[in-house]
Amino acid sequence: MNSQQQNILPINRNQNMKIWKSLLIILMIVANFAFAQPSFADKPKFSKNPDYIEVTKTLDKLTQAKEAQTQVEGVTPEQIQQKIDELTFQKYALETGINWGQCENKTGNTIAVYGKRPNEEEDDDAMYENALYFLADGQSTKNNWDCDGFYLPNDATITGLTADGQAQEFTEAVAIKIPDGSKLTIKTNPDTAAIEINIPNAQIVKANEVNWFIPNVSQAIIYTRVPNAPTMKS
């Protein structure tokens, strides 16, 4: 090997080392982006939240009725404005990231409420989407624990679900679902014993419409249950 060839070999080795180093750096960068990608993923937007969509739709409908001065059967203009105000705050709560609801029991008895299981992600064998908890009188579910609604026994009547405020009875037990960002207060009318709620757009949910546990039992059965819902005082 002549001296010229001997001088070329170190240069080639140096160039190869630089190429391999560059490739290694590129591979490391690509791998880092591949593993870090989930952290850059967009968080779910409130505009896609089903509760936000329902609140917005109901609010738009009531606002249009107010602006057109359309008389809603059985509802006064003052009641329409009150519902608009309540829905406006619900919408604002969802827009600011409050993705949970709260339930307050002022009925004088234990009631049943719905919420997520503590280890929902790990509980692959669970039969139902939501678990049934029992909330004592005078208690509120704790902050950041999502109360999705409450259970209405098969012999109960309820007011506040219709625009005219009339009491409703059902032939079977149902669940009353509330939107995220709402604080549901459940009371008992002292004169009629009907359940009263303060959420203007709560939804009636039946056992064949959602994967919730909705047993067909009476109020007396619910009253005997041991309270176990996560509460502000627990």
Side-chain angles (χ1 to χ4, degrees), residues 136-231:
D137 177 49
Q139 296 290 308
S140 296
T141 55
K142 70 178 183 180
N143 292 341
N144 295 308
W145 185 81
D146 187 14
C147 181
D148 285 322
F150 73 103
Y151 172 81
L152 190 70
N154 59 21
D155 57 350
T157 58
I158 185 171
T159 61
L161 293 177
T162 59
D164 56 11
Q166 294 296 313
Q168 288 180 276
E169 294 184 60
F170 301 93
T171 57
E172 59 184 342
V174 298
I176 307 300
K177 183 181 183 298
I178 64 170
D180 290 342
S182 303
K183 181 174 181 178
L184 171 69
T185 300
I186 310 159
K187 299 180 180 180
T188 300
N189 187 297
D191 299 321
T192 64
I195 298 295
E196 296 179 341
I197 62 173
N198 65 322
I199 302 297
N201 58 324
Q203 298 178 1
I204 303 164
V205 178
K206 297 183 178 180
N208 62 346
E209 297 173 342
V210 68
N211 188 26
W212 293 14
F213 179 54
I214 308 179
N216 195 31
V217 301
S218 66
Q219 294 189 81
I221 299 297
I222 302 300
Y223 295 162
T224 64
R225 300 298 90 189
V226 175
N228 64 344
T231 62

